[in-house]
Amino acid sequence: MKNKIKLSTLVIFLSILLINNVDAQDKVLINNVQIFDGNNVITSNGAVRIEGNLITEVSKIPLKALSGEKEIDGQGKFLMPGLIDAHVHLAWNLSPTQSTFAANEYIAALTLVEAKATVMRGFTSVRDVGGPARGVKKAIDQSFFTGPRIWYAGAAIGMTAGHSDMRSPEARSRQMGGEAWTDGEHSGITILADGVPEVLTAARMQMRRGACFLKMFTSGAVSGVYDPLDIAEYSFDEIKAAADEAKRWNTYLAVHSYNDKGTQQALKAGAMSIEHATLITEETAKLMAEKGAFLSTQTGIYLADAPADWSDNQKAKQQAAKDGLDNLFALAKKYDIKITLGTDLVGNMKLKKQQAYELTNRLKWFTPIEILRQATVNNAELLSFSGPRNPYPGKLGVIEEGAFADLLLIDGNPIDNLELFNNPGKNLLIIMKDGKFVKQIEN
Ligand SMILES: [Zn+2]
């Protein structure tokens, strides 16, 4: 018996077949699997039926295959919804210096490579919180390339001397006859806007490009050149202008904000997704809960080594953000704030390989099942918050009848061992997105 199990495991391992952009099998039955439905493990030996791009049946016991249905024997392995990363920058794969000299088509090419790597790590959906994702998303949605579902904000809106201002301190602002287009704007990652009229124009430019939500920098940043962590960026009126514009488009404003002042101001102005927020006080956590805003958190960017070219000041800011994590997560739990999971890894593709480490990093604060919920149902709720600007309306982040068939079959139980995600090539046996196999086992 023992030998038999070993042999079948070996056969599966050897027969893993990577298939890209395979047409949807019209009808698929994944049988004999443990199912985590996004909230809980609902069965140790059940089945999921898929037709087209949707899950049509979830059973707590194995099912008989219907005629014309492709049956996959899951051999008791772990089936769960595809992971979602709520904070990425798919197009930000170069350092600021490299970006300055990069051609836009080179940036797009790297984005496509990173998009494929992302889905191969098990992330079937991402929220892109700043960067040019429009064309890449279209090419992926049309199945020309392999990649995740993408919700994008377009260029993130920032003020002069704010997080996105990478110009020389002597540069003249364009309102005073300076250069028309900064490097950040050229690459499409950020856009500079000062004052309510410019903020409105910048916001509307993103909506014209099909943004699913808006993104703005409303506090000092860890990697920023001119902005200390303690400052609130933008006036209340400028943030409110962006939040109101997002609301007019029936979507929401996400803000980059670390400190208490900037976060509180943004919440009062109507922002509904707070990115980072590691330096907030209890009063602001309470306000976030009252407003029903999402807390979009990352840990890996603070735990990772600082880039070699960072100044002591930037390194000190990274340490301060990291030191705030204990307090942030304690407050978020106390006030039952909606916590989402993101990574925010930028600047080079080697670093982005650590995307799945975000799950194991969180074990210091959360149980494995809480972390899996953050990466599935919680993140899906945030994605659906784009309302009519949600490019993929439907149920996501769950295994239930009528939900999108975005699924992972895992060789092992991640509730016992979240590290399984750190070796996706070996441990993710099936990756399915929109009913199509991105990676498939043959048995
Ligand atoms: Zn970011």
Side-chain angles (χ1 to χ4, degrees):
M1 191 65 190
K2 245 184 169 179
N3 285 342
K4 235 181 173 179
I5 291 169
K6 271 187 183 164
L7 186 67
S8 66
T9 311
L10 186 71
V11 169
I12 289 177
F13 183 68
L14 292 175
S15 62
I16 286 175
L17 193 65
L18 301 181
I19 300 175
N20 295 322
N21 292 319
V22 177
D23 285 337
Q25 290 278 341
D26 206 18
K27 294 174 182 175
V28 178
L29 176 68
I30 305 178
N31 229 344
N32 306 312
V33 280
Q34 206 180 137
I35 300 174
F36 171 73
D37 69 356
N39 284 298
N40 293 298
V41 174
I42 55 165
T43 175
S44 59
N45 192 21
V48 170
R49 189 159 257 150
I50 297 131
E51 209 175 318
N53 67 339
L54 298 178
I55 294 167
T56 54
E57 189 176 354
V58 181
S59 168
K60 291 186 178 173
I61 54 170
L63 294 172
K64 257 197 137 156
L66 303 171
S67 76
E69 201 168 48
K70 177 186 170 67
E71 184 181 3
I72 292 170
D73 182 2
Q75 304 195 355
K77 296 186 191 302
F78 191 94
L79 191 75
M80 65 170 285
L83 298 170
I84 301 168
D85 189 330
H87 191 125
V88 302
H89 300 274
L90 273 182
W92 193 346
N93 297 305
L94 300 168
S95 70
T97 322
Q98 290 168 325
S99 297
T100 305
F101 299 102
N104 278 0
E105 61 270 28
Y106 180 65
I107 290 174
L110 295 189
T111 308
L112 284 166
V113 173
E114 181 52 33
K116 182 173 180 184
T118 297
V119 79
M120 297 311 285
R121 289 190 284 261
F123 290 85
T124 50
S125 292
V126 298
R127 192 176 66 129
D128 195 297
V129 192
R134 184 165 65 109
V136 165
K137 170 185 161 54
K138 186 172 180 180
I140 292 169
D141 287 348
Q142 292 176 331
S143 296
F144 289 125
F145 292 94
T146 304
R149 300 175 191 271
I150 301 170
W151 285 249
Y152 66 88
I157 303 166
M159 66 174 203
T160 293
H163 180 22
S164 58
D165 191 349
M166 302 283 173
R167 294 170 295 183
S168 143
E170 307 306 326
R172 282 179 84 80
S173 282
R174 59 175 165 245
Q175 295 91 328
M176 297 173 174
E179 61 176 325
W181 210 227
T182 67
D183 291 330
E185 289 169 317
H186 174 72
S187 68
I189 293 172
T190 57
I191 182 165
L192 280 171
D194 291 302
V196 167
E198 283 196 4
V199 165
L200 284 174
T201 303
R204 289 167 187 163
M205 282 170 71
Q206 308 321 310
M207 298 316 299
R208 185 176 66 188
R209 294 172 187 154
C212 312
F213 60 101
L214 291 171
K215 164 78 181 296
M216 192 177 207
F217 301 112
T218 64
S219 96
V222 167
S223 64
V225 182
Y226 304 115
D227 52 342
L229 267 187
D230 61 284
I231 67 158
E233 297 188 4
Y234 278 122
S235 66
F236 177 82
D237 289 347
E238 287 166 306
I239 304 171
K240 189 164 186 309
D244 286 351
E245 188 62 20
K247 277 183 212 157
R248 279 190 285 276
W249 288 82
N250 298 313
T251 181
Y252 67 94
L253 174 69
V255 296
H256 152 114
S257 186
Y258 278 97
N259 65 49
D260 201 54
K261 198 164 53 169
T263 308
Q264 211 175 103
Q265 176 164 264
L267 283 166
K268 286 178 181 165
M272 287 305 287
S273 174
I274 308 294
E275 315 299 311
H276 320 308
T278 60
L279 303 174
I280 60 165
T281 62
E282 184 149 7
E283 190 191 339
T284 303
K286 238 168 147 175
L287 181 66
M288 203 181 296
E290 276 167 28
K291 298 270 186 191
F294 292 85
L295 177 62
S296 172
T297 59
Q298 311 78 32
T299 64
I301 45 166
Y302 314 120
L303 302 173
D305 292 335
D309 58 348
W310 272 21
S311 66
D312 287 347
N313 180 37
Q314 286 170 313
K315 286 178 192 160
K317 291 200 283 184
Q318 184 189 33
Q319 185 64 41
K322 179 179 161 186
D323 291 345
L325 285 172
D326 288 344
N327 182 52
L328 174 71
F329 288 137
L331 289 173
K333 284 182 193 178
K334 183 172 175 187
Y335 292 101
D336 202 18
I337 297 171
K338 290 178 271 192
I339 303 171
T340 65
L341 177 149
T343 55
D344 202 18
L345 299 167
V346 296
N348 73 70
M349 293 163 100
K350 211 171 134 197
L351 185 66
K352 288 189 171 184
K353 288 184 178 161
Q354 297 181 9
Q355 187 176 27
Y357 295 8
E358 185 64 35
L359 283 83
T360 37
N361 285 344
R362 287 176 186 241
L363 287 168
K364 189 179 169 206
W365 301 280
F366 301 102
T367 64
I369 205 145
E370 285 173 331
I371 296 165
L372 290 179
R373 285 177 191 146
Q374 289 169 8
T376 54
V377 280
N378 289 18
N379 278 358
E381 192 186 343
L382 172 56
L383 294 177
S384 71
F385 209 63
S386 284
R389 305 287 82 77
N390 176 1
Y392 315 95
K395 273 191 251 175
L396 198 80
V398 289
I399 294 185
E400 59 180 61
E401 202 184 305
F404 286 126
D406 288 11
L407 300 166
L408 306 177
L409 184 70
I410 303 169
D411 192 8
N413 185 338
I415 293 168
D416 298 332
N417 181 14
L418 275 180
E419 283 188 14
L420 289 166
F421 293 106
N422 297 349
N423 191 349
K426 176 171 178 282
N427 299 321
L428 302 188
L429 302 175
I430 288 178
I431 301 169
M432 177 180 272
K433 193 198 91 181
D434 209 34
K436 294 175 187 171
F437 290 103
V438 177
K439 179 178 177 181
Q440 183 186 5
I441 49 167
E442 289 289 316
N443 61 13

